[in-house]
Amino acid sequence: MTSIGGAEMVDWNLAVATATRLVRPGPEISREEARAVVAELRRHAKASEEHVRSFTRMIPEGHEPEDTPVLVVDRAGWIRANVAGFRELLRPLLGKMQDRRGGGPGGAVLGAVGGKVTGVELGMLLSFLASRVLGQYETFAPATRELPASANGGGRLLLVAPNIVHVERELGVDPHDFRLWVALHEETHRTQFTGVPWLRDHLQGEIQSFLDETDVDPMTVVERLREAAQSFSGGSRPEGEQGDDGDDGGRSLVEIVQTPAQREILGRLTAVMSLLEGHADFVMDGVGPDVVTSVAEIREKFQQRRARGASRLDLALRKLLGLDAKLRQYRDGEKFVRAVVDEVGMDGFNRVWTSPNTLPTKAEIAAPADWVARVHRRTDS
């Protein structure tokens, strides 16, 4: 995303058009069955609210959480929602890059051409992701008629119906159980953001700090992208760089296109995302045995699917885009949450939501006892 050159240099409509044209079609399903799937997902989302709140105890009794809408969408709907979110989140960076590019010779022409190129690139990326995401709590896109939000401008819960049907068929699991299991995971994310009022602003602030550190000089960005491509493809490296026995060749594009300050911010963001994803996995497995009969079978098959990827191309793209890091977030975050809950109970774990200062660091995600010692010794003293 650091290659975007300015507000007029991103053809957002072209990004949507490209992604919706390239995204793979969903599973074959009759209109009647599709309506039944949508209705069931909405019921499961509603039922999951009470299950998640009771299990997590994040929202005190007598307090009504922020009411955010549940939207059951197709792949094109997910694409449109995420383009709207990207556009809002990247607005400050795009303005800065537009100012830098617009002042140079041929800036207007470069902007027009760059907008088309970037729109196509973003569309290609989203077309890949749109067939894989089961659900998402989208919090950055502004409220519109197509993307309603809560009264105070919060987010919305997206459930991607064709992807859920595709995966339940691929795994050969009970579809009703699987749909509820997915709803429990995504409802946990909604509870995280509605039950922790400062979380959205904190995440947005960290992301904006990351973007503020982005080099806006086009040649610098091109050079970093060249290094990323060489590292990924195994091509020649400049003299002095590590080879196969070092770890530079194994980094993703996301990791390489960074300044030192960005790496520090990314460490904090990685810790937060590991916490959120791991917590959601922990909750859906904790609630599961009481409400999802086949939860053990679903978890085992789903973990195998996560680990193996769909194909060699899928594995390559996951590595390039840094999606393998997201898989580690699920695993490492869930281990952190489980260890802390085992040590200090659910209420003790919930101190993590007190403020940004009580969030775990990246090191503490790997060492839960250090978080317990820091937070509980300080608050109990």
Side-chain angles (χ1 to χ4, degrees):
M1 300 306 297
T2 56
S3 64
I4 294 174
E8 265 64 40
M9 295 182 67
V10 182
D11 191 329
W12 299 105
N13 291 333
L14 181 59
V16 172
T18 300
T20 53
R21 184 175 67 251
L22 294 179
V23 71
R24 292 183 294 182
E28 292 187 8
I29 188 171
S30 69
R31 183 169 299 180
E32 292 74 17
E33 187 180 359
R35 282 198 291 261
V37 170
V38 170
E40 183 174 18
L41 287 172
R42 286 176 177 155
R43 290 196 304 271
H44 285 331
K46 183 64 177 176
S48 295
E49 290 183 36
E50 184 55 38
H51 294 314
V52 171
R53 292 173 194 172
S54 176
F55 184 82
T56 64
R57 300 201 290 274
M58 289 179 63
I59 300 173
E61 288 188 27
H63 288 70
E64 275 302 314
E66 178 184 328
D67 185 24
T68 57
V70 176
L71 306 178
V72 181
V73 298
D74 58 11
R75 290 170 177 175
W78 181 87
I79 288 167
R80 288 191 293 270
N82 277 268
V83 167
F86 283 148
R87 186 172 192 171
E88 185 68 19
L89 193 62
L90 294 170
R91 192 181 302 276
L93 174 64
L94 300 184
K96 183 170 68 172
M97 297 187 84
Q98 180 187 26
D99 291 344
R100 173 72 66 91
R101 184 68 66 87
V109 175
L110 287 173
V113 174
K116 300 297 183 185
V117 172
T118 305
V120 170
E121 291 174 342
L122 178 58
M124 293 173 66
L125 170 61
L126 289 173
S127 72
F128 172 76
L129 297 175
S131 62
R132 287 157 173 78
V133 175
L134 300 182
Q136 174 188 359
Y137 186 80
E138 203 295 313
T139 185
F140 297 116
T144 64
R145 185 170 60 84
E146 294 78 18
L147 279 175
S150 62
N152 66 355
R156 70 283 296 163
L157 180 62
L158 307 177
L159 296 172
V160 190
N163 295 349
I164 293 172
V165 172
H166 171 78
V167 173
E168 69 192 26
R169 291 179 178 179
E170 179 186 330
L171 297 181
V173 295
D174 181 276
H176 308 294
D177 281 1
F178 184 75
R179 293 166 197 173
L180 177 55
W181 188 71
V182 171
L184 289 168
H185 181 101
E186 303 307 333
E187 177 58 36
T188 303
H189 287 316
R190 185 164 67 151
T191 299
Q192 290 164 349
F193 281 91
T194 57
V196 184
W198 51 264
L199 182 58
R200 178 185 182 276
D201 289 342
H202 173 71
L203 269 180
Q204 186 167 17
E206 290 280 61
I207 293 170
Q208 290 302 333
S209 295
F210 183 91
L211 296 177
D212 286 344
E213 291 292 331
T214 299
D215 289 318
V216 295
D217 176 64
M219 293 309 297
T220 301
V221 173
V222 169
E223 177 64 18
R224 288 192 177 171
L225 289 173
R226 183 190 66 81
E227 292 174 7
Q230 287 183 341
S231 176
F232 175 65
S233 66
S236 60
R237 296 179 177 84
E239 186 177 354
E241 288 192 8
Q242 289 181 306
D244 291 338
D245 53 351
D247 76 357
D248 193 44
R251 291 190 292 166
S252 72
L253 184 150
V254 175
E255 292 173 305
I256 292 173
V257 186
Q258 289 172 18
T259 66
Q262 283 177 312
R263 293 191 185 100
E264 182 178 342
I265 298 168
L266 189 68
R268 297 196 299 268
L269 280 170
T270 298
V272 176
M273 298 311 297
S274 296
L275 170 69
L276 299 181
E277 297 293 358
H279 183 236
D281 267 11
F282 176 79
V283 171
M284 72 178 180
D285 284 347
V287 174
D290 292 330
V291 298
V292 181
T293 305
S294 57
V295 64
E297 177 192 3
I298 291 172
R299 163 56 73 190
E300 180 181 1
K301 291 183 175 180
F302 194 76
Q303 290 286 61
Q304 291 172 355
R305 182 182 185 273
R306 272 182 180 171
R308 68 174 180 265
S311 65
R312 289 181 62 86
L313 175 61
D314 187 57
L315 291 171
L317 286 170
R318 274 171 35 181
K319 181 63 181 176
L320 177 62
L321 299 174
L323 300 183
D324 281 350
K326 186 172 178 63
L327 298 183
R328 289 195 297 273
Q329 288 172 5
Y330 285 104
R331 182 179 63 249
D332 297 344
E334 195 273 342
K335 288 180 180 178
F336 170 83
V337 176
R338 186 172 301 279
V340 172
V341 172
D342 286 346
E343 179 69 21
V344 296
M346 185 64 75
D347 291 332
F349 165 78
N350 280 340
R351 292 191 186 182
V352 78
W353 312 116
T354 303
S355 75
N357 293 329
T358 56
L359 291 171
T361 64
K362 188 176 180 180
E364 287 171 340
I365 288 288
D370 291 348
W371 179 87
V372 172
R374 175 173 68 87
V375 172
H376 281 262
R377 285 177 184 170
R378 184 179 65 194
T379 55
D380 291 342
S381 60

